[in-house]
């Protein structure tokens, strides 16, 4: 079987201590929360850390509090988030996205913070070491070219988090704890346009909290496209949120695409287009026609990239139809 | 084998638990990788990074010197080739001079632990001379050689240029270029048949390759004992053939080798070949003097493969005004991957069973299998028949639509009569296809639903046939295909010994049921010992859907033989004629006075006292085939099973996504030995068929398998599995034990074309290839979709097969002939 490379493991009791461990060990150290993505990747040698800093003992970062806004401890499992009564009632797109990650056993172990920080994916990269050696190593690990876009000087691995687009669509913020300080930044600035350095946080910083504002008056949803109803990473995610005033006029709106680029893509032009318009079939179709343009799918995930690009338009349209209370066009539920 | 009325059966036909159910559900079944022996070493294989290359030099000296390494092995140390078929001895345990696909094993290391072995692989230096790779049928054929090419539509021959020197052929055998095998047979004058037809139609189809995906990864453990005898435990479906390959490659007398097949965690045909890792484990065990285990990774299982051949197909059929067939011409071109494996048989199978469902008075088959630089293809559930069956059943649907015929009614009307000998000389005995079709049509409401469910919803129908065991063994011999030995204990317990291999289908349980039925005891009174070449009589293996029929018949014979002294002694004790004795419920009793009887244990003691130790053997060999032509070794069987399916689905015209809502499937199983296990096989077949229809494909990119993992190779989850209504049809075939036929493979066959036909009903489009992906559906809706054409290839000169002489023992030849 594929086996883990040797590593040292430490599990400090506080985020500050964890950040210090990471800072002291430098690039040879990594943080691990649920480990559902990191350990398989280590078996394939995407990562070969000398030191793993386990976050499992950060008890204070495990809770979920819903007062006015929502505070999610980064160590809360995806199951905890997906099944939390207040989250289900007041931030349903978060519950939905968390509940669509992978499979039930992995959601029981995987954490919300881990999913926000999950490694970018590419089917030239998420392979065993011997497979990658056969085809020639890529720049994300051990090589110097991008195999999916050979002319590119940046890596095109896909952002594959289900919860990241949702957090951005809800204007969430995250707390990052460093060895000496902590800061709170908007979730939309957590991601960078590079499949390798895909997070803007410093490597030693530990993501501890997610803060979601009160969204009373908004409607929000998340749609995930993938081949199968479970297990699969998204090949497209659409997080949408809208605040409607009288006559279904859009006061404010967020449309964020996942798995179409190295980072979640906010469809700003489509958002600008929709503000002040009635949310109806016609405006939705036009907005979807604008929103899908920044999607840049390549031949590095399941199914064809041309189809995935075409689906971005349809899925945005269906997400907005859902928020407008219109028929989405999805297949009706099974009748048997 | 005499038939027995249902009311006389006390075990057979009942929905009993498998005898290994508790072990399976509590995780206590010992699979090959669960085995551990004292001082056991672990081995790993170094595999080729190139799809096609010559090996100039392999240097294992640094690996051999690494701490913890016990032994290394290279191809030159096992120079004798092997292969499952005698005509394709083209594999080596480790490639000695040439690699033919990414993943071809080149060298091996045994070490104290797996990590050390894996790390030592990196110390092995291999100097390769990289050769051009052939990754498709077209590329393989384009290398030239002496073959020509012909357009299937115009029959015009054009010569292919010799693109590359002969030296770059993948193998140096085969008729020319990269062609492994080419065949052409005429069974009747098809051109005359087309000439007299009112309507002639031709279609082209493509079936992409896919793999078995068993849950258990292959593992092998070998130990060469102080007595010089070698034991191999392996997850194999065919321990007898592995036994022969080990003897050949290791140059040991078979008597010095013991092969034990562990319970397989799924096989589906993927564990039916002898594999390099099994031979390597044996050789390393001999070199180190320790037990050596190799467990493959999931990625390596994708490289072992032997799965579904990618198949390009063309079919032309002539029909009379009433819809009856005048002639059929079928062509296939198979992408065989890097080695022969079962490929010659697979190729014949793509032409063999078209004729055993509907009346086809004249038939012509042409086929070619080419080598490519991909993992070798072989037998996967349905072995070579799902591809042509898919093409044929879609072709039928198309001509029915063209002629305004109901596809269900056409099938009902054209089903073969029982007792038919087909144009290609296959003998059909019982045939429950009409009943299967009628039942799924009625239960699904196919007549009422077809064309009336509204846009985006549709129903489709298809039918099929499969063999209940191959008529011939893999290597020619006149011995039984299955042997069973029975020993009766003084306490009333019974031990059954048989070489058959339980791959999850329940063959161990079937042995227990049959012996319990015949001896009148309960399945839990029976100890089943299987798949051990030292302890059990030979059974050829769990392939070709042969086990229930063949071991069942052998077990009945052995049980009746061992019952004779028991009944004789009991008759004497009870003072009744032997003919009046019955056995059931652990008793031997008088049919005229059921209260009068003995316990089975008492009867056994009396018998042993009178006759000595109680034991008997039984065996089974299929009836001789009526077919007389060379190549007719593939297709004959003791009896064919039949299936029919209706699929109802929904299709999203905006995304191209297809969702199967329900499947109705009827299967002619002859007789259910255990209906619960039969339905399990039927449902599993439906599940696998749906995966092949909609998702699964062996995809390659830049010479490598693109997605060799359980995450990326898309196979359905439980969430994609629709409701299935399974209907069992019993025809009580005279060749089957209690009338039973196969059920493990046949029910897969109609599912795939039924999906394609239902998609046409839903959206009015044809996607003439599988898997039917959302992008292909949208392509068809946009009018952009075209099925891949047949490759340019000139099939060999046709062998004209003369019809059987009327004097031949051809019972019930159909009127059409």
């Amino acid at each position: 079987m594929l086996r883990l490379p040797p590593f040292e493991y430490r599990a400090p009791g506080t985020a500050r201590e964890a950040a210090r461990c990471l800072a002291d060990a430098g690039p040879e150290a990594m943080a691990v929360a649920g480990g559902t993505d990191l350990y398989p990747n280590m078996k394939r040698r995407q990562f070969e850390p000398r030191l793993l800093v386990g976050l499992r003992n950060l008890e204070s970062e495990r809770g979920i509090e819903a007062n006015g806004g929502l505070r999610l401890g980064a160590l809360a499992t995806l199951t905890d988030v997906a099944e939390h009564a207040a989250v289900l009632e007041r931030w349903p797109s978060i519950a939905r996205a968390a509940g669509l990650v992978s499979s039930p056993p992995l959601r029981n172990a995987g954490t919300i913070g881990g999913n926000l920080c999950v490694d970018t994916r590419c089917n030239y990269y998420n392979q065993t070491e011997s497979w990658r050696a056969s085809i020639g190593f890529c720049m994300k690990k051990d090589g110097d070219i991008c195999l999916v876009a050979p002319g590119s000087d940046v890596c095109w691995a896909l952002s594959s988090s289900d919860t990241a687009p949702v957090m951005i669509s809800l204007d969430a913020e995250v707390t990052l704890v460093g060895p000496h300080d902590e800061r709170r930044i908007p979730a939309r600035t957590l991601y960078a346009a590079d499949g390798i350095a895909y997070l803007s946080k410093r490597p030693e910083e530990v993501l501890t909290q997610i803060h979601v504002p009160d969204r009373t008056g908004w409607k929000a949803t998340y749609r995930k496209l993938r081949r199968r109803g479970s297990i699969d990473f998204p090949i497209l995610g659409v997080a949408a949120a809208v605040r409607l005033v009288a006559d279904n006029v859009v006061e404010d709106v967020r449309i964020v695409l996942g798995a179409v680029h190295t980072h979640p893509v906010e469809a700003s032009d489509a958002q600008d287009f929709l503000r002040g318009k009635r949310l109806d079939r016609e405006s939705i179709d036009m907005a979807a026609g604008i929103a899908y343009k920044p999607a840049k799918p390549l031949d590095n995930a399941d199914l064809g990239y041309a189809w995935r690009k075409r689906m971005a338009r349809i899925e945005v349209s269906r997400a907005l139809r859902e928020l407008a209370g219109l028929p989405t066009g999805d297949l009706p539920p099974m009748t048997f | 084998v005499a038939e027995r009325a249902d009311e006389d059966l006390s075990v057979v036909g009942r929905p009993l638990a498998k005898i290994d159910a508790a072990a399976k559900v509590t995780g206590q079944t010992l699979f090959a990788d669960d085995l551990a022996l004292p001082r056991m070493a672990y081995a790993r294989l170094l595999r080729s990074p190139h799809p096609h290359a010559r090996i100039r030099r392999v240097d294992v000296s640094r690996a051999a010197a690494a701490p913890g390494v016990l032994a290394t092995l290279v191809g030159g140390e096992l120079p004798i080739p092997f292969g499952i078929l005698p005509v394709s001895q083209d594999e080596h345990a480790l490639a000695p001079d040439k690699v033919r696909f990414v993943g071809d094993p080149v060298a091996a290391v045994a070490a104290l632990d797996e990590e050390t072995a894996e790390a030592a692989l990196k110390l092995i230096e291999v100097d390769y001379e990289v050769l051009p790779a052939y990754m498709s049928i077209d590329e393989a054929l384009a290398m030239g050689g002496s073959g020509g090419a012909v357009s299937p539509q115009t029959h015009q021959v054009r010569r292919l240029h010799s693109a590359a020197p002969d030296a770059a052929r993948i193998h140096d055998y085969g008729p020319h270029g990269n062609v492994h095998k080419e065949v052409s047979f005429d069974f009747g004058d098809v051109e005359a048949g087309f000439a007299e037809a009112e309507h002639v139609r031709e279609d082209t189809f493509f079936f992409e390759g896919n793999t078995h995906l068993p849950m258990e990864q292959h593992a092998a453990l070998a130990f060469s004992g102080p007595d010089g005898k070698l034991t191999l435990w392996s997850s194999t479906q065919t321990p007898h053939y592995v036994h022969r390959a080990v003897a050949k490659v290791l140059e040991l007398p078979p008597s010095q080798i013991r092969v034990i097949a562990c319970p397989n965690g799924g096989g589906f045909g993927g564990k039916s070949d002898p594999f390099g890792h099994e031979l390597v484990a044996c050789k390393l065990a001999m070199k180190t003097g320790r037990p050596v285990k190799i467990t493959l990774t999931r990625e390596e299982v994708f490289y072992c493969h032997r799965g579904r051949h990618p198949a390009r197909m063309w079919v032309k059929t002539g029909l009379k005004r009433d819809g009856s067939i005048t002639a059929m011409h079928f062509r296939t071109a198979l992408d065989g991957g890097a080695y022969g494996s079962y490929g010659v048989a697979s190729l014949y199978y793509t032409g063999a069973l078209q004729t055993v469902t509907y009346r086809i008075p004249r038939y012509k088959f042409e086929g070619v299998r080419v080598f490519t630089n991909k993992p070798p293809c072989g037998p996967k559930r349905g072995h070579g028949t799902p591809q042509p069956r898919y093409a044929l059943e879609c072709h039928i649907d198309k001509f029915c639509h063209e002629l305004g015929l109901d596809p269900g009614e056409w099938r009902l009307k054209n089903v073969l009569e029982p007792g038919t000998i087909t144009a290609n000389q296959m003998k059909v005995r019982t045939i429950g296809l009409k009943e299967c079709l009628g039942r799924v049509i009625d239960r699904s409401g196919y007549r009422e639903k077809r064309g009336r469910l509204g846009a985006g919803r549709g129903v489709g129908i298809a039918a099929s046939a499969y063999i209940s065991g191959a008529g011939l063994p893999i290597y020619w011999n006149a011995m039984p295909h299955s042997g069973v030995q029975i020993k009766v204990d003084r306490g009333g317990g019974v031990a059954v010994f048989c070489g058959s291999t339980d791959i999850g289908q329940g063959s161990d349980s079937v042995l227990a049921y049959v012996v319990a039925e015949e001896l009148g005891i309960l399945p839990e009174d029976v100890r089943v010992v299987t798949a051990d070449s030292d302890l059990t009589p030979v059974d050829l293996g769990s392939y070709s859907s042969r086990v229930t029929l063949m071991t069942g018949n052998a077990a009945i014979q052995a049980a009746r033989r061992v019952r004779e002294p028991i009944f004789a002694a009991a008759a004497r004790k009870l003072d009744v004629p032997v003919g009046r004795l019955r056995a059931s419920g652990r008793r031997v009793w008088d049919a005229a006075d059921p209260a009068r009887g003995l316990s089975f244990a008492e009867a056994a003691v009396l018998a042993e006292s009178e006759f000595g130790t109680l034991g008997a053997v039984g065996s089974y060999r299929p009836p001789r085939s009526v077919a007389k032509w060379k190549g007719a070794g593939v297709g004959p069987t003791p009896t064919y099973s039949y299936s029919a399916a209706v699929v109802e689905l929904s299709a999203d015209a905006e995304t191209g996504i297809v969702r199967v809502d329900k499947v109705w499937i009827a299967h002619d199983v002859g007789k259910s030995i255990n209906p619960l296990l039969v339905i399990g096989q039927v449902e599993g077949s439906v599940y696998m068929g749906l995966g092949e229809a909609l998702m699964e494909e062996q995809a390659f990119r830049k010479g490598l398998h693109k997605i060799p993992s359980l995450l990326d190779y898309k196979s359905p989850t439980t969430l994609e599995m629709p409701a299935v209504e399974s209907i069992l049809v019993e025809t009580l075939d005279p060749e089957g034990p209690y009338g039973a036929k196969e059920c493990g493979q046949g029910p897969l066959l109609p599912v795939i074309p039924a999906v394609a036909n239902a998609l046409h009903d839903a959206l009015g489009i044809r996607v003439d290839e599988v898997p039917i992906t959302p992008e292909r559906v949208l392509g068809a809706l946009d009018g952009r979709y075209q099925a891949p054409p047949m490759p340019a290839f000139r099939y060999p000169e046709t062998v004209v097969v003369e019809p059987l002489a009327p004097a031949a023992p051809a019972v019930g030849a159909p009127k059409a002939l």
Side-chain angles (χ1 to χ4, degrees):
Chain A
M1 62 160 78
L2 289 176
R3 293 189 178 270
L4 283 169
F7 58 89
E8 189 190 332
Y9 182 81
R10 257 181 263 161
T14 67
R16 177 63 43 87
E17 225 181 306
R20 278 191 194 129
C21 285
L22 289 164
D24 290 348
E28 294 192 316
M30 292 182 78
V32 59
T36 55
D37 194 56
L38 181 65
Y39 290 127
N41 285 350
M42 285 172 66
K43 289 182 176 182
R44 298 184 202 102
R45 304 300 188 266
Q46 269 91 34
F47 300 108
E48 297 169 275
R50 187 184 56 75
L51 172 69
L52 273 191
V53 178
L55 304 180
R56 61 190 301 167
N57 290 343
L58 275 54
E59 283 306 326
S60 57
E61 320 297 352
R62 204 175 289 283
I64 298 174
E65 286 169 35
N67 294 318
L70 174 69
R71 196 169 69 87
L72 295 168
L75 271 292
T77 68
L78 292 160
T79 300
D80 291 342
V81 174
E83 294 178 357
H84 193 275
V87 178
L88 278 165
E89 191 191 326
R90 295 177 54 203
W91 294 275
S93 64
I94 295 178
R96 191 162 176 190
L100 288 172
V101 175
S102 192
S103 59
L106 269 68
R107 289 196 293 274
N108 290 342
T111 65
I112 183 76
N115 189 256
L116 285 175
C117 295
V118 73
D119 192 18
T120 54
R121 298 184 64 80
C122 170
N123 62 23
Y124 282 99
Y125 164 75
N126 295 100
Q127 303 276 2
T128 61
E129 187 179 27
S130 58
W131 189 98
R132 290 183 290 117
S134 294
I135 204 163
F137 290 112
C138 78
M139 63 169 68
K140 189 159 160 71
K141 184 67 168 52
D142 303 321
D144 51 16
I145 63 159
C146 174
L147 291 167
V148 67
S152 170
D153 51 11
V154 296
C155 162
W156 279 91
L158 288 172
S159 171
S160 301
S161 167
D162 286 303
T163 55
V166 171
M167 293 304 176
I168 294 170
S169 76
L170 300 177
D171 295 340
E173 297 182 339
V174 296
T175 298
L176 301 174
V177 174
H180 310 293
D181 54 0
E182 69 174 66
R183 59 191 179 120
R184 188 164 150 166
I185 62 167
R188 60 171 49 81
T189 66
L190 181 62
Y191 302 98
D194 180 337
I196 298 171
Y198 61 95
L199 292 174
S200 65
K201 80 173 186 67
R202 295 192 299 272
E204 70 275 16
E205 282 179 318
V206 176
L207 193 160
T208 56
Q209 301 282 336
I210 301 130
H211 313 270
V212 190
D214 187 345
R215 274 336 219 192
T216 308
W218 288 71
K219 288 181 185 170
T221 189
Y222 176 70
R223 292 177 62 91
K224 175 174 185 170
L225 188 65
R226 54 176 165 179
R227 200 89 81 101
R228 303 176 291 189
S230 187
I231 302 175
D232 292 337
F233 283 93
I235 53 176
L236 173 67
V238 176
V242 63
R243 186 182 172 89
L244 298 173
V245 290
D247 216 16
N248 259 5
V249 169
V250 176
E251 185 185 75
D252 205 356
V253 62
R254 301 281 183 279
I255 303 167
V256 187
L257 306 182
V260 294
H261 210 294
T262 58
H263 54 86
V265 174
E266 194 162 356
S268 314
D269 291 348
Q271 292 173 171
D272 292 344
F273 168 83
L274 276 177
R275 280 192 197 97
K277 294 209 169 50
R278 274 194 61 186
L279 193 65
D280 56 21
R281 208 166 260 288
E282 192 185 345
S283 67
I284 286 171
D285 285 349
M286 293 182 74
I290 301 168
Y292 89 109
K293 293 210 166 120
K296 294 266 183 279
L298 298 170
D299 179 27
N300 61 353
D302 188 30
L303 291 169
Y305 57 88
W307 183 82
R308 291 184 349 247
K309 175 110 185 174
R310 184 168 168 173
M311 289 308 106
R313 183 178 193 157
I314 289 165
E315 288 295 317
V316 168
S317 181
R318 289 184 175 184
L320 293 173
R321 282 183 226 159
E322 183 188 327
L323 297 182
L326 296 166
T328 58
D330 288 310
L331 294 178
M334 284 171 83
T335 50
F336 295 101
Chain B
V1 175
E3 275 178 42
R4 292 172 61 172
D6 262 14
E7 55 268 28
D8 289 343
L9 298 171
S10 55
V11 178
V12 164
R14 291 177 193 270
L16 303 172
K18 284 186 186 178
I19 60 171
D20 55 348
K24 286 269 167 66
V25 300
T26 57
Q28 293 183 76
T29 300
L30 291 178
F31 297 99
D33 185 44
D34 293 319
L35 303 179
L37 291 173
R39 300 173 63 246
M40 186 167 81
Y42 297 81
R44 298 282 298 137
L45 302 173
L46 180 71
R47 291 176 182 269
S48 168
H50 302 296
H52 198 192
R54 271 192 203 93
I55 300 169
R56 289 205 192 99
R57 189 180 60 92
V58 183
D59 184 349
V60 293
S61 54
R62 286 174 62 218
V69 169
L70 299 166
T72 62
L73 194 65
V74 296
E77 294 174 74
L78 290 171
I80 298 175
F82 68 95
I84 183 71
L85 298 187
V87 295
S88 308
Q89 300 287 300
D90 60 2
E91 300 184 52
H92 286 87
L94 299 166
D97 49 14
K98 200 175 171 191
V99 289
R100 296 179 172 88
F101 67 98
V102 173
D104 214 356
V106 172
V109 172
L112 292 172
D113 54 59
E114 212 171 15
E115 287 90 339
T116 304
E118 180 73 32
L121 294 182
K122 290 188 177 173
L123 302 174
I124 298 174
E125 292 165 25
V126 187
D127 184 9
Y128 291 103
E129 177 195 343
V130 176
L131 299 169
Y134 307 100
M135 298 304 292
S136 68
I137 296 174
D138 296 310
E139 287 176 21
L141 289 173
M143 85 157 286
S146 60
V150 61
S151 149
Q153 273 73 35
T154 63
H155 292 262
Q156 278 180 343
V157 176
R158 80 185 159 76
R159 279 280 152 199
L160 283 169
H161 61 288
S162 285
D166 225 31
R169 293 173 77 187
I170 295 170
H171 285 279
D172 56 11
Y173 79 105
H176 50 88
N178 286 316
V179 173
H180 173 211
K181 179 77 182 174
E182 50 186 10
V183 296
S184 177
F185 295 99
D186 247 336
F187 307 97
D189 186 347
V190 291
E191 294 310 324
F194 294 141
E196 76 180 45
E198 299 279 337
H199 182 84
V200 177
R201 181 182 176 94
E202 37 189 290
D203 287 299
T204 307
F205 298 92
F206 175 58
F207 199 118
E208 179 58 285
N210 53 56
T211 201
H212 318 81
L213 220 66
M215 287 214 286
E216 179 211 19
Q217 293 147 218
H218 307 50
L221 167 62
F223 179 52
S224 181
D227 54 1
K229 291 189 176 174
L230 179 74
T231 304
L232 170 67
W233 293 262
S234 186
S235 37
T236 176
Q237 301 177 232
T238 54
H240 176 61
Y241 297 137
V242 171
H243 191 183
R244 290 168 55 84
V246 172
K248 181 188 182 198
V249 175
L250 273 73
E251 299 179 86
L252 293 172
S255 62
Q256 302 305 298
I257 302 164
R258 178 181 185 188
V259 175
I260 300 168
C262 299
N264 284 205
F268 314 111
K271 297 168 182 170
S272 306
D273 290 55
F275 285 102
H277 68 268
E278 294 172 314
L279 299 156
V280 166
C282 290
K283 184 69 176 175
L284 285 171
M286 292 166 72
K287 279 183 94 164
T288 60
R290 290 172 180 252
V292 174
K293 182 157 82 176
I294 300 183
T295 304
L296 301 188
T297 64
R298 177 56 61 180
E299 183 182 353
E300 289 178 294
V301 175
F302 278 92
Y303 298 147
C304 285
H305 187 44
R306 321 288 160 150
R308 190 83 72 224
H309 285 73
R312 309 246 287 264
M313 295 167 289
W314 171 85
V315 54
K316 178 178 178 181
T317 303
L319 299 163
K320 288 187 192 155
R321 194 181 301 277
D322 68 357
S324 62
I325 292 174
T326 61
M328 181 179 289
H329 185 177
F330 209 102
R331 286 201 182 109
T332 65
L334 272 57
D335 178 345
Y339 292 98
S341 181
Y342 284 81
V344 170
S346 316
L347 178 61
Y348 278 110
Y349 271 123
T350 64
L353 301 191
Q354 279 87 333
T355 54
V356 301
T357 43
Y358 315 113
R359 286 186 295 273
I360 302 173
R362 302 176 187 86
Y363 179 60
K364 177 170 182 172
F365 169 60
E366 295 172 294
V368 60
R369 182 182 195 257
V370 302
F371 289 121
T372 56
N373 293 113
K374 301 196 278 198
C377 299
K380 182 186 169 189
R381 206 175 204 164
H383 192 189
T385 71
Q387 303 99 316
R389 180 54 59 181
Y390 153 73
L392 176 58
E393 296 293 320
C394 292
H395 176 65
I396 288 170
D397 221 59
K398 287 183 183 206
F399 67 58
C400 285
H401 281 278
E402 201 178 328
L403 301 177
L405 304 171
D406 179 307
E409 297 306 319
W410 184 91
R411 286 175 170 86
L412 278 169
K413 204 173 144 192
N414 287 280
V415 167
L416 282 187
E417 296 303 315
T420 299
I421 293 179
T422 66
N424 60 338
Q425 302 176 5
M426 300 297 140
K427 182 173 173 181
V428 174
R429 291 178 172 85
T430 57
I431 172 165
L433 184 53
K434 227 175 242 180
E435 188 175 352
C436 289
L437 281 162
R439 298 282 293 276
V440 292
I441 288 171
D442 288 347
R443 289 296 305 164
S444 66
Y446 175 79
R447 283 189 193 92
E448 298 73 33
K449 286 177 175 172
R450 188 176 69 93
R452 298 201 189 96
L453 286 176
R457 290 184 67 201
V459 287
I461 191 167
S464 65
Y466 199 63
I467 55 170
S468 302
L472 292 176
I474 295 282
Y475 66 99
W476 194 91
N477 72 83
M479 291 177 281
H481 291 211
S482 192
V484 166
Q485 192 170 2
I486 295 179
K487 174 193 81 79
V488 178
D489 180 73
R490 290 176 182 183
V494 170
V496 181
F497 304 85
C498 178
S500 61
T501 302
D502 200 319
I503 60 173
Q505 86 281 41
S507 59
D508 283 1
S509 300
V510 167
L511 283 169
Y513 304 149
V514 168
V515 171
E517 179 66 55
E518 292 298 322
L519 298 182
I521 55 179
L522 305 181
E524 56 261 40
D525 302 331
V526 181
R527 160 85 55 194
V528 178
V529 179
T530 51
D532 183 328
S533 66
D534 268 10
L535 303 183
T536 62
V538 165
D539 173 84
L540 294 179
S542 286
Y543 67 97
S544 87
S545 269
R546 52 176 297 289
V547 186
T548 291
L549 188 139
M550 300 201 194
T551 66
N553 281 332
I556 287 173
Q557 187 179 61
R560 290 182 185 173
R561 283 177 178 168
V562 85
R563 197 176 63 190
E564 272 176 38
I566 296 170
F567 270 24
R572 213 175 326 278
K573 174 80 175 177
L574 297 171
D575 195 22
V576 298
V578 168
R580 262 190 17 216
L581 286 182
R582 302 286 181 273
S584 69
R586 291 176 173 151
R587 283 178 77 238
V588 178
W589 46 276
D590 179 3
D593 178 9
R596 189 173 167 77
L598 292 168
S599 76
F600 178 78
E602 285 173 295
V605 167
L606 290 171
E608 187 174 339
S609 308
E610 188 172 347
F611 301 106
T613 300
L614 297 177
V617 294
S619 57
Y620 178 78
R621 194 159 69 118
R624 194 177 288 274
S625 165
V626 299
K628 294 288 178 255
W629 50 284
K630 189 176 181 292
V634 165
T637 176
T639 184
Y640 297 97
S641 76
Y642 290 89
S643 312
V646 169
V647 164
E648 181 168 336
L649 57 74
S650 303
D652 183 332
E654 220 177 0
T655 62
I657 291 171
V658 173
R659 184 190 68 204
V660 175
D661 294 319
K662 182 149 184 183
V663 177
W664 294 263
I665 183 159
H667 182 67
D668 166 16
V669 68
K671 164 79 187 170
S672 295
I673 302 277
N674 178 341
L676 209 55
L677 300 194
V678 175
I679 287 173
Q681 291 298 307
V682 172
E683 289 181 351
S685 295
V686 170
Y687 166 79
M688 189 171 261
L690 292 175
E692 297 194 29
L694 295 171
M695 283 185 194
E696 299 193 30
E697 56 187 314
Q698 289 279 86
F700 294 84
R701 182 176 59 187
K702 300 184 184 180
L704 278 83
H705 196 300
K706 187 176 174 183
I707 44 172
S709 75
L710 276 175
L711 177 59
D712 293 320
Y713 176 91
K714 301 301 180 192
S715 187
T717 72
T718 50
L719 296 177
E720 281 70 54
M721 187 66 182
V724 177
E725 186 173 322
S726 301
I727 300 156
L728 305 183
V729 169
E730 301 199 330
T731 45
L732 300 179
D733 194 277
E735 267 301 316
Y738 312 100
K741 304 179 175 187
E742 76 89 34
C743 64
Q745 307 194 64
L748 174 140
L749 291 154
V751 175
I752 301 163
V755 169
N757 293 340
L759 178 63
H760 177 260
D761 193 43
L763 294 179
I765 54 162
R766 291 282 175 187
V767 176
D768 288 333
E769 72 185 285
V770 291
I772 300 168
T773 60
E775 40 215 325
R776 290 183 185 128
V777 171
L778 288 190
L781 285 168
D782 294 349
R784 287 183 290 103
Y785 172 79
Q786 267 197 312
M790 285 299 281
F793 179 73
R794 187 182 61 182
Y795 288 89
E797 200 174 327
T798 295
V799 175
V800 176
V801 178
E802 295 303 324
L804 289 171
V811 281
K815 292 181 193 80
L817 284 172

